[in-house]
Amino acid sequence: MALIGAELTRVEPGIVEISLRYRSDLAQQHGYLHAGIVTTIADSACGYAAYSLMPPSSEVLSVEFKVNLLRPAKGETFSAIAEVIKAGKTLTVVRADVFAVDREAQREIVATMLGTMICLSR
Amino acid sequence: MALIGAELTRVEPGIVEISLRYRSDLAQQHGYLHAGIVTTIADSACGYAAYSLMPPSSEVLSVEFKVNLLRPAKGETFSAIAEVIKAGKTLTVVRADVFAVDREAQREIVATMLGTMICLSR
Amino acid sequence: MALIGAELTRVEPGIVEISLRYRSDLAQQHGYLHAGIVTTIADSACGYAAYSLMPPSSEVLSVEFKVNLLRPAKGETFSAIAEVIKAGKTLTVVRADVFAVDREAQREIVATMLGTMICLSR
Amino acid sequence: MALIGAELTRVEPGIVEISLRYRSDLAQQHGYLHAGIVTTIADSACGYAAYSLMPPSSEVLSVEFKVNLLRPAKGETFSAIAEVIKAGKTLTVVRADVFAVDREAQREIVATMLGTMICLSR
C-alpha cells in the first residue's frame, strides 16, 4: 500500500475508501492503471472495511474475491470504496467499487469486486 | 421461473425485481429455500436487468456469476433485486441482492451475486 | 437432489461425482438443462467433495461459488465432478466441472465452478 | 510483468506458465508474496493462455476473474500455470493455479483462479 502510494482516505464502521494518485510506473502498456493495482486497492479496501467491524485483537485475511474489470482505468486519481454487506464472527462479505477520477473531478466506475474476508484471532 | 412460481415484480431500465413465495417443495432439508433456487432467482433477475438495456431483438445469456450465500434463506417471500453496474454492447455486468421477507415485512439479505451477461443478436 | 433425480455416482476422499438424467421439466425454453440445475448439481458435488474430507460429526455449507456457463447444457445425462483443491479445518476450496453426455457416451464440458465450503461442527 | 521480474517460462496452445523469483519488495508485512502480485501473475498467465489460441491480430483483455488465496505465498520462486477450459470466438474461460516452490524444489499450491478473457480484433 505504501509502496504504490495508496492512502486510507475514509474509515467508518464497515465502509472504507482507499485513494491512489496515478503514477506512470503503476501503468500497463497503454498508460492505464494496471489491473493488478486496481485489484490490489479494491482488495485492500475490502480487507480494511471488514477489519473495521472486527474485535480489537483480530487479523483479517482475504479468502477469495472476484473482480470485474469494467473499463480502462484512466484517470488522475483512483478511489476504491468498500462496504461490508454481511459481517460475521468468522467470515465477512464485502463489496468494493473502484472509480477513476479525472482533472474535473468527474468519476467513472472502472471495476467492481465481491469478496470474502476471514477474521483470525491473534 | 413459472415452475417455481417466481414473478417479475419490478422492471425499470437496468433494475429488475423478481419475487417468489415460499413453497415447501423449494426447500432443502432444514426448511430453508434451497441455495439452487436462491441462485436461480438472482441469476434470472440479473439476466432481465441486463436485457432491459439491450436492443429489441437481442437475446441475453449468463456468461458467469459468483454468489455469496450469507444466511439461511428463511422467509415467507423472497425478493431478488438486480441492478446493472455497467452496460456494454457485448457484455453487461450486474449485481443482485436476494432478501428474505417475513410476515411482518421485515427483510434481511440472504445472498448477493455479481455476474456477467452477454448480448446475442438474433 | 432427490427431487431432480440426481445421484451420487462416485465418492472418494476429496472427489465426488453427481449424475443426473435429462428430464424435460428440468429444461429451460430451448430444451437445454436449466442453468439453475447445472449450478445446483455442481454446488452439491462441491459440498459432498468437501464433506468427504471433514471429521464425522461436521456439517458442510456453501460460503460462495462462481460458475462459468460454457455451452448450452444439451445431453442425455449430466455429470458434475468435484475435486477438493485445498482442505482446511474451517474452509475448503473445491472445483467442479459439469459435463453433458450424449447417447454415444461422448461428453462435453458445459460449466465449471470454483467454490468455498465451510465446515460447521454440530 | 517486466517490472516485477516475471517471465513466460512455458507457452503451448492453451497452456502458459509464468515464473517469478521472490523479491522482498514484492512481499507484504510478513515476508510472503503480496496477494496483489499472486493475482497479477495468475491473471497474466490466464491472459496469455487465452491469447495463445486467438487469431494473430487479436488483443486479449480480462473481463473478470475470481481468485482463492489458499495459503501464505512463501517460497523462493512462484509459478502460475494457466490452462484454457473453453476457447470461444469472443470469450475464453481459463483456470490458473499458483504454486510456491522452495529451495528443495518442493511445490505447494497457494492460489487458484477462474477467469473470463475477451478477444478484441485490432
Side-chain angles (χ1 to χ4, degrees):
Chain A
M1 291 288 296
L3 252 181
I4 60 172
E7 285 178 288
L8 261 173
T9 43
R10 182 178 165 200
V11 184
E12 291 171 40
I15 300 184
V16 157
E17 183 186 39
I18 286 180
S19 300
L20 177 73
R21 203 153 192 76
Y22 177 81
R23 270 174 19 192
S24 58
D25 63 334
L26 304 177
Q28 33 83 291
Q29 69 272 28
H30 300 301
Y32 307 133
L33 194 67
H34 195 286
I37 305 292
V38 171
T39 302
T40 297
I41 61 172
D43 175 35
S44 298
C46 286
Y48 281 110
Y51 186 65
S52 73
L53 298 178
M54 290 178 182
S57 66
S58 327
E59 214 167 317
V60 66
L61 273 180
S62 299
V63 170
E64 61 82 35
F65 55 77
K66 171 206 189 331
V67 63
N68 271 262
L69 303 161
L70 305 171
R71 280 190 185 86
K74 189 184 175 179
E76 287 280 297
T77 57
F78 299 89
S79 161
I81 301 176
E83 188 185 359
V84 170
I85 299 174
K86 164 91 189 326
K89 230 181 64 173
T90 307
L91 299 177
T92 292
V93 177
V94 192
R95 154 192 301 165
D97 291 328
V98 182
F99 299 93
V101 188
D102 68 13
R103 285 175 194 203
E104 283 76 38
Q106 296 292 313
R107 72 179 208 176
E108 207 172 38
I109 191 167
V110 297
T112 189
M113 179 177 278
L114 177 59
T116 310
M117 308 285 137
I118 193 166
C119 175
L120 303 176
S121 319
R122 273 202 207 116
Chain B
M1 292 286 296
L3 252 181
I4 60 172
E7 285 178 287
L8 260 173
T9 42
R10 182 178 165 201
V11 184
E12 292 170 39
I15 300 183
V16 157
E17 183 186 39
I18 285 181
S19 299
L20 177 74
R21 204 154 190 77
Y22 177 82
R23 271 177 17 196
S24 59
D25 64 333
L26 304 177
Q28 33 85 290
Q29 69 271 31
H30 301 301
Y32 307 132
L33 194 67
H34 195 286
I37 305 292
V38 171
T39 302
T40 298
I41 61 172
D43 176 34
S44 298
C46 286
Y48 281 109
Y51 186 64
S52 73
L53 298 178
M54 289 178 182
S57 65
S58 326
E59 215 168 315
V60 66
L61 273 180
S62 299
V63 170
E64 61 82 36
F65 55 77
K66 171 205 189 333
V67 64
N68 271 262
L69 302 162
L70 305 171
R71 280 191 186 84
K74 189 184 176 178
E76 286 280 298
T77 58
F78 298 90
S79 160
I81 301 175
E83 187 186 0
V84 170
I85 299 174
K86 163 93 189 328
K89 229 180 66 172
T90 307
L91 299 177
T92 292
V93 177
V94 192
R95 154 193 302 167
D97 292 328
V98 182
F99 300 92
V101 187
D102 68 14
R103 285 175 193 204
E104 283 76 39
Q106 297 293 315
R107 72 178 209 177
E108 207 172 39
I109 191 168
V110 296
T112 189
M113 179 178 279
L114 177 58
T116 310
M117 308 286 137
I118 192 165
C119 175
L120 303 176
S121 319
R122 273 201 207 118
Chain C
M1 292 288 294
L3 252 180
I4 60 173
E7 285 177 287
L8 261 173
T9 43
R10 181 178 166 201
V11 184
E12 292 171 37
I15 299 183
V16 156
E17 182 185 41
I18 286 180
S19 300
L20 177 74
R21 203 155 190 73
Y22 177 81
R23 271 176 16 196
S24 58
D25 63 334
L26 304 176
Q28 33 85 290
Q29 70 272 28
H30 300 302
Y32 307 133
L33 194 68
H34 195 285
I37 306 292
V38 171
T39 302
T40 297
I41 61 172
D43 175 35
S44 298
C46 286
Y48 281 110
Y51 186 65
S52 73
L53 298 178
M54 289 179 183
S57 66
S58 326
E59 214 167 316
V60 67
L61 272 180
S62 299
V63 170
E64 61 82 36
F65 56 77
K66 170 204 189 335
V67 64
N68 271 261
L69 303 161
L70 305 171
R71 278 191 187 85
K74 190 184 175 176
E76 286 280 297
T77 57
F78 298 90
S79 160
I81 301 175
E83 187 186 0
V84 170
I85 300 174
K86 163 92 190 325
K89 228 181 64 173
T90 308
L91 299 178
T92 293
V93 177
V94 193
R95 155 192 302 166
D97 291 328
V98 182
F99 300 91
V101 187
D102 68 13
R103 283 172 195 206
E104 283 76 39
Q106 296 293 313
R107 72 178 209 178
E108 206 173 40
I109 191 167
V110 297
T112 189
M113 179 177 280
L114 177 58
T116 311
M117 307 286 136
I118 192 165
C119 175
L120 303 177
S121 319
R122 274 203 205 114
Chain D
M1 291 287 295
L3 252 180
I4 59 173
E7 285 178 287
L8 262 173
T9 42
R10 181 178 166 203
V11 184
E12 291 171 38
I15 300 183
V16 156
E17 182 186 41
I18 286 180
S19 300
L20 177 74
R21 203 155 191 75
Y22 177 80
R23 270 176 16 195
S24 59
D25 64 334
L26 303 177
Q28 33 84 292
Q29 70 272 28
H30 300 301
Y32 307 133
L33 193 69
H34 194 286
I37 304 292
V38 171
T39 303
T40 298
I41 61 172
D43 175 35
S44 297
C46 286
Y48 281 110
Y51 186 65
S52 73
L53 298 177
M54 289 178 184
S57 66
S58 325
E59 215 168 315
V60 66
L61 272 180
S62 299
V63 169
E64 60 82 37
F65 55 77
K66 170 203 187 341
V67 64
N68 271 262
L69 303 161
L70 305 171
R71 279 190 186 87
K74 189 183 175 178
E76 287 280 296
T77 57
F78 299 90
S79 160
I81 301 175
E83 186 186 1
V84 170
I85 300 174
K86 163 90 189 330
K89 228 181 65 172
T90 307
L91 299 177
T92 293
V93 177
V94 193
R95 154 192 302 165
D97 291 328
V98 182
F99 300 92
V101 188
D102 67 14
R103 285 174 192 205
E104 283 76 38
Q106 296 294 313
R107 73 178 208 177
E108 206 173 40
I109 191 167
V110 296
T112 189
M113 179 177 279
L114 178 58
T116 310
M117 308 285 137
I118 192 166
C119 175
L120 303 176
S121 319
R122 273 200 208 118

